[in-house]
Each structure stands twice: as structure tokens, then as C-alpha cells.
Amino acid sequence: DVKVTQSSRYLVKRTGEKVFLECVQDMDHENMFWYRQDPGLGLRLIYFSYDVKMKEKGDIPEGYSVSREKKERFSLILESASTNQTSMYLCASSLSGQGWRFHGYTFGSGTRLTVV
Amino acid sequence: TQLLEQSPQFLSIQEGENLTVYCNSSSVFSSLQWYRQEPGEGPVLLVTVVTGGEVKKLKRLTFQFGDARKDSSLHITAAQPGDTGLYLCAGFRLRTGTASKLTFGTGTRLQVTL
């Protein structure tokens, strides 16, 4: 069964810590995405990547960075965690070209991050 | 700026009732998708609509894309407890020089009770 795997379901970190969220997909998808999900705001795009070592800012990139050294792995980095980054983080992947329109995005189960 | 507004935000109904969820925008989308997210899981694709005025049915779920491709609706007939979840619409706008990416709506949380 194809899937997107996020390394942690729950994380608790202290303010100022450097936080790494890992995401791995086994579908050979070109595109990978990081979203955060907050009640009433839906999913907001943080960063995405359309190829190895390529990245683009989404709608809310401030305070975050990403790394994609291998096609199957996309990491989200919080350089110095703050309490307003407490949220559910969702990783997703998709085919490039027109393929995604029929298969959509495949999401991981999410990481609930609490910054105290 | 939230480009896709969903209504209602919350909906609690009894089994067997019908309901409609709306997804509205001032922007035109080339296509629109609906996802359902269950607690503790990521969203799962339900349907993609592409053509203005298009109607798609998935068992008891009926999806419609507005003629102007700015809005969409999801209608559920005879809701069941298994329909409980967060429903998200997501629109795609064609852009040059960038990878395809979706803009998600604000979400509608549906609870169906016995």
C-alpha cells in the first residue's frame, strides 16, 4: 500500500529549540508539500518541492525552512521554535504534470507539534 | 488571504438527514477537489471536478462545480455515521513556471449521530 510516512505523531518541544519534521513517500512522486492545519483556517502551505534540491515558498514560510536531498524525503525545519508554531503539520506528495488531478495529493497522518 | 471559504464551518445532524456543504471563492479555478479527513489521519481525495457546471456522484455524495468555476458544493443524501469527518475543498489555478499546488478551503466539520 503506497503511503506518506511522517516520523512522529506527537512532538513536544521547548521555545527556541530547533525542530526537524521528517516525511518519506514511497510512490516516486515528484512533488512534496508541507502544510500546517489550524482550526478555522484549513490547510496552509508552508513550502513545497518539485524536484530534488528544489524548493519554493508557500503562503506562510516565515520561521520555517525545508530540505530535499533525496526524492523520497522532504524535511521541515523550525529553526527556533515558537509557541505560535504549535499546530498540526501535514506532509503530502503528488505526481507532476496532469497526473495529480486524478490521483490528488497523498497525505501523511500528520505530526501534532506543541511548543511550550 | 483565504481564497476558499467553506460553509457551514460545523454541522451536526442525525443519521438519514440530507446536507449540503458550500465552497466559495472570488477566484476562478481550473479544477477543484474535495477531500475528507478523519480524526488522526490526513485528508483523502474524494473527487476532482474540472468543467464548469460538472456534476459527479460518488454513491450518496454529489459534487457540483459552479458554471463560472468559482464555487462548488457537496451534497450528501441520507447521511450515515461513517460520513463523519472534516470535508475540505481545494482549488487549483494554472500558473506558469511553478509546480501544481492546491489552495485549501477553511473546512467543514460534519458529525452524524445515530
Side-chain angles (χ1 to χ4, degrees):
Chain A
D1 192 20
V2 295
K3 62 173 60 175
V4 174
T5 303
Q6 295 185 229
S7 55
S8 304
R9 277 293 193 118
Y10 300 95
L11 276 178
V12 180
K13 296 292 182 180
R14 295 193 179 277
T15 300
E17 277 194 76
K18 191 170 187 176
V19 181
F20 293 87
L21 302 183
E22 306 288 345
C23 175
V24 177
Q25 52 99 359
D26 63 0
M27 296 164 285
D28 202 35
H29 282 174
E30 293 83 5
N31 302 328
M32 296 189 74
F33 308 83
W34 275 106
Y35 286 87
R36 63 176 285 177
Q37 183 174 31
D38 301 288
L41 297 177
L43 274 68
R44 293 179 292 167
L45 182 63
I46 304 171
Y47 267 97
F48 67 101
S49 169
Y50 51 91
D51 201 352
V52 175
K53 296 189 184 295
M54 305 303 290
K55 60 185 179 184
E56 282 196 29
K57 294 180 179 179
D59 300 318
I60 51 164
E62 297 77 18
Y64 304 94
S65 62
V66 290
S67 173
R68 193 170 182 196
E69 297 296 318
K70 294 184 178 180
K71 189 175 184 179
E72 67 271 18
R73 187 180 297 271
F74 192 36
S75 303
L76 179 69
I77 304 155
L78 287 67
E79 295 290 342
S80 178
S82 64
T83 54
N84 62 12
Q85 292 178 310
T86 291
S87 185
M88 169 70 83
Y89 289 87
L90 288 164
C91 175
S93 70
S94 76
L95 292 167
S96 63
Q98 295 299 306
W100 73 273
R101 295 172 77 184
F102 303 98
H103 301 284
Y105 285 14
T106 302
F107 283 87
S109 297
T111 296
R112 185 164 293 281
L113 172 68
T114 302
V115 182
V116 297
Chain B
T1 302
Q2 186 56 258
L3 296 178
L4 281 167
E5 295 286 342
Q6 287 183 237
S7 61
Q9 190 173 357
F10 299 99
L11 197 53
S12 182
I13 62 172
Q14 291 190 319
E15 183 180 19
E17 291 186 35
N18 301 332
L19 67 117
T20 302
V21 176
Y22 298 94
C23 173
N24 294 295
S25 174
S26 57
S27 301
V28 175
F29 291 96
S30 61
S31 60
L32 192 138
Q33 296 182 328
W34 284 91
Y35 290 77
R36 180 170 65 207
Q37 184 178 17
E38 298 184 11
E41 300 298 328
V44 175
L45 178 67
L46 295 174
V47 76
T48 301
V49 286
V50 177
T51 307
E54 181 177 2
V55 177
K56 279 193 174 178
K57 291 192 175 183
L58 185 65
K59 297 183 181 178
R60 293 174 294 99
L61 279 60
T62 301
F63 304 86
Q64 184 164 6
F65 201 12
D67 291 340
R69 291 184 286 127
K70 292 183 178 181
D71 54 87
S72 180
S73 64
L74 158 60
H75 182 79
I76 301 179
T77 303
Q80 298 178 0
D83 296 327
T84 293
L86 178 68
Y87 289 82
L88 294 159
C89 63
F92 174 67
R93 290 187 295 166
L94 282 172
R95 297 177 184 173
T96 58
T98 186
S100 60
K101 52 189 177 77
L102 293 172
T103 298
F104 281 85
T106 48
T108 294
R109 189 165 298 281
L110 171 65
Q111 182 171 24
V112 183
T113 55
L114 293 171

